[in-house]
Short mmCIF file of all heavy atoms in Angstrom, two decimals:
data_model
loop_
_atom_site.label_atom_id
_atom_site.label_comp_id
_atom_site.label_asym_id
_atom_site.label_seq_id
_atom_site.Cartn_x
_atom_site.Cartn_y
_atom_site.Cartn_z
N LEU A 11 -8.67 28.48 2.31
CA LEU A 11 -9.86 29.38 2.15
C LEU A 11 -9.69 30.21 0.86
O LEU A 11 -8.66 30.81 0.67
CB LEU A 11 -9.99 30.30 3.35
CG LEU A 11 -11.02 31.44 3.27
CD1 LEU A 11 -12.39 30.68 3.31
CD2 LEU A 11 -10.88 32.30 4.53
N VAL A 12 -10.72 30.23 0.07
CA VAL A 12 -10.67 30.94 -1.25
C VAL A 12 -12.07 31.52 -1.47
O VAL A 12 -13.10 31.03 -0.99
CB VAL A 12 -10.26 30.07 -2.38
CG1 VAL A 12 -11.27 28.95 -2.60
CG2 VAL A 12 -10.03 30.81 -3.60
N GLN A 13 -12.11 32.66 -2.14
CA GLN A 13 -13.37 33.27 -2.47
C GLN A 13 -14.01 32.56 -3.62
O GLN A 13 -13.29 32.00 -4.50
CB GLN A 13 -13.22 34.71 -2.84
CG GLN A 13 -12.89 35.61 -1.64
CD GLN A 13 -12.88 37.12 -1.96
OE1 GLN A 13 -12.65 37.50 -3.10
NE2 GLN A 13 -13.17 37.92 -0.97
N ALA A 14 -15.31 32.64 -3.72
CA ALA A 14 -16.05 31.98 -4.79
C ALA A 14 -15.49 32.60 -6.14
O ALA A 14 -15.23 33.84 -6.31
CB ALA A 14 -17.56 32.31 -4.73
N GLY A 15 -15.34 31.74 -7.07
CA GLY A 15 -14.74 32.17 -8.38
C GLY A 15 -13.26 31.99 -8.51
O GLY A 15 -12.68 32.04 -9.52
N GLY A 16 -12.64 31.68 -7.33
CA GLY A 16 -11.24 31.54 -7.31
C GLY A 16 -10.79 30.17 -7.58
O GLY A 16 -11.59 29.30 -8.02
N SER A 17 -9.50 29.93 -7.44
CA SER A 17 -8.87 28.63 -7.78
C SER A 17 -8.00 28.18 -6.62
O SER A 17 -7.46 28.92 -5.83
CB SER A 17 -7.97 28.78 -9.05
OG SER A 17 -8.83 29.13 -10.15
N LEU A 18 -7.87 26.83 -6.57
CA LEU A 18 -6.90 26.12 -5.72
C LEU A 18 -6.41 24.95 -6.49
O LEU A 18 -7.09 24.41 -7.30
CB LEU A 18 -7.61 25.64 -4.41
CG LEU A 18 -7.87 26.63 -3.24
CD1 LEU A 18 -8.62 25.96 -2.11
CD2 LEU A 18 -6.60 27.20 -2.74
N ARG A 19 -5.24 24.61 -6.06
CA ARG A 19 -4.57 23.34 -6.59
C ARG A 19 -4.21 22.45 -5.41
O ARG A 19 -3.35 22.78 -4.63
CB ARG A 19 -3.38 23.65 -7.43
CG ARG A 19 -2.82 22.43 -8.17
CD ARG A 19 -1.67 22.93 -9.09
NE ARG A 19 -1.04 21.74 -9.82
CZ ARG A 19 -1.52 21.22 -10.96
NH1 ARG A 19 -2.62 21.70 -11.52
NH2 ARG A 19 -0.85 20.23 -11.54
N LEU A 20 -4.93 21.23 -5.43
CA LEU A 20 -4.52 20.29 -4.41
C LEU A 20 -3.57 19.27 -4.90
O LEU A 20 -3.56 18.95 -6.19
CB LEU A 20 -5.82 19.46 -4.01
CG LEU A 20 -7.10 20.29 -3.51
CD1 LEU A 20 -8.22 19.36 -3.11
CD2 LEU A 20 -6.67 21.23 -2.39
N SER A 21 -2.71 18.88 -4.08
CA SER A 21 -1.71 17.81 -4.42
C SER A 21 -1.86 16.62 -3.51
O SER A 21 -2.22 16.74 -2.33
CB SER A 21 -0.34 18.40 -4.25
OG SER A 21 -0.08 19.37 -5.17
N CYS A 22 -1.53 15.49 -4.09
CA CYS A 22 -1.52 14.22 -3.36
C CYS A 22 -0.18 13.59 -3.57
O CYS A 22 0.14 13.27 -4.73
CB CYS A 22 -2.68 13.25 -3.87
SG CYS A 22 -2.62 11.67 -3.05
N ALA A 23 0.57 13.58 -2.55
CA ALA A 23 1.96 12.95 -2.57
C ALA A 23 1.93 11.52 -2.09
O ALA A 23 1.33 11.27 -1.04
CB ALA A 23 3.01 13.84 -1.80
N ALA A 24 2.60 10.68 -2.82
CA ALA A 24 2.55 9.30 -2.53
C ALA A 24 4.02 8.79 -2.18
O ALA A 24 4.98 9.28 -2.78
CB ALA A 24 1.99 8.43 -3.55
N SER A 25 4.06 7.89 -1.23
CA SER A 25 5.32 7.28 -0.92
C SER A 25 5.29 5.92 -1.62
O SER A 25 4.33 5.32 -1.87
CB SER A 25 5.49 7.18 0.57
OG SER A 25 4.56 6.28 1.12
N GLY A 26 6.49 5.37 -1.89
CA GLY A 26 6.58 4.08 -2.41
C GLY A 26 6.91 4.05 -3.94
O GLY A 26 6.64 5.02 -4.59
N ARG A 27 7.67 3.05 -4.33
CA ARG A 27 8.21 3.02 -5.67
C ARG A 27 7.12 2.55 -6.70
O ARG A 27 7.41 2.66 -7.90
CB ARG A 27 9.39 2.11 -5.72
CG ARG A 27 10.60 2.59 -4.91
CD ARG A 27 11.73 1.55 -4.93
NE ARG A 27 11.29 0.32 -4.23
CZ ARG A 27 12.08 -0.79 -4.20
NH1 ARG A 27 13.15 -0.84 -4.93
NH2 ARG A 27 11.58 -1.85 -3.55
N THR A 28 5.99 2.12 -6.19
CA THR A 28 5.08 1.50 -7.12
C THR A 28 3.87 2.38 -7.45
O THR A 28 2.82 1.92 -7.91
CB THR A 28 4.53 0.17 -6.49
OG1 THR A 28 3.81 0.48 -5.29
CG2 THR A 28 5.57 -0.80 -6.33
N PHE A 29 4.03 3.69 -7.18
CA PHE A 29 2.95 4.63 -7.37
C PHE A 29 2.40 4.59 -8.77
O PHE A 29 1.24 4.80 -9.07
CB PHE A 29 3.35 6.06 -6.99
CG PHE A 29 2.30 7.04 -7.14
CD1 PHE A 29 1.13 7.03 -6.38
CD2 PHE A 29 2.42 8.07 -8.06
CE1 PHE A 29 0.18 8.01 -6.52
CE2 PHE A 29 1.41 9.00 -8.26
CZ PHE A 29 0.32 9.00 -7.44
N SER A 30 3.33 4.43 -9.69
CA SER A 30 2.86 4.43 -11.13
C SER A 30 1.91 3.29 -11.53
O SER A 30 1.35 3.22 -12.53
CB SER A 30 4.13 4.39 -12.06
OG SER A 30 4.82 3.22 -11.80
N SER A 31 1.79 2.28 -10.59
CA SER A 31 0.85 1.20 -10.84
C SER A 31 -0.42 1.41 -10.11
O SER A 31 -1.24 0.49 -10.09
CB SER A 31 1.49 -0.14 -10.30
OG SER A 31 1.74 -0.11 -8.92
N TYR A 32 -0.59 2.62 -9.52
CA TYR A 32 -1.83 2.91 -8.83
C TYR A 32 -2.77 3.88 -9.62
O TYR A 32 -2.26 4.91 -10.07
CB TYR A 32 -1.58 3.56 -7.43
CG TYR A 32 -1.20 2.63 -6.35
CD1 TYR A 32 -0.05 1.81 -6.44
CD2 TYR A 32 -2.06 2.41 -5.32
CE1 TYR A 32 0.26 0.91 -5.40
CE2 TYR A 32 -1.77 1.55 -4.25
CZ TYR A 32 -0.59 0.78 -4.36
OH TYR A 32 -0.36 -0.13 -3.36
N ALA A 33 -3.98 3.48 -9.67
CA ALA A 33 -4.99 4.48 -10.06
C ALA A 33 -5.38 5.29 -8.86
O ALA A 33 -5.26 4.91 -7.75
CB ALA A 33 -6.28 3.76 -10.60
N VAL A 34 -5.67 6.59 -9.17
CA VAL A 34 -5.92 7.57 -8.06
C VAL A 34 -7.25 8.23 -8.27
O VAL A 34 -7.67 8.57 -9.36
CB VAL A 34 -4.73 8.58 -7.98
CG1 VAL A 34 -5.08 9.65 -6.93
CG2 VAL A 34 -3.44 7.81 -7.71
N GLY A 35 -7.92 8.48 -7.16
CA GLY A 35 -9.12 9.24 -7.23
C GLY A 35 -9.12 10.31 -6.14
O GLY A 35 -8.42 10.23 -5.16
N TRP A 36 -9.97 11.40 -6.47
CA TRP A 36 -10.22 12.41 -5.42
C TRP A 36 -11.66 12.27 -4.99
O TRP A 36 -12.50 12.16 -5.91
CB TRP A 36 -9.96 13.81 -5.92
CG TRP A 36 -8.52 14.19 -6.03
CD1 TRP A 36 -7.66 14.12 -7.16
CD2 TRP A 36 -7.78 14.78 -5.03
NE1 TRP A 36 -6.41 14.57 -6.84
CE2 TRP A 36 -6.41 14.97 -5.51
CE3 TRP A 36 -7.98 15.09 -3.68
CZ2 TRP A 36 -5.42 15.58 -4.76
CZ3 TRP A 36 -6.94 15.69 -2.89
CH2 TRP A 36 -5.68 15.85 -3.48
#
Side-chain angles (χ1 to χ4, degrees):
L11 174 64
V12 64
Q13 288 188 332
S17 298
L18 278 176
R19 186 174 178 85
L20 304 184
S21 291
C22 175
S25 63
R27 296 176 294 173
T28 60
F29 180 65
S30 60
S31 66
Y32 276 68
V34 175
W36 283 97

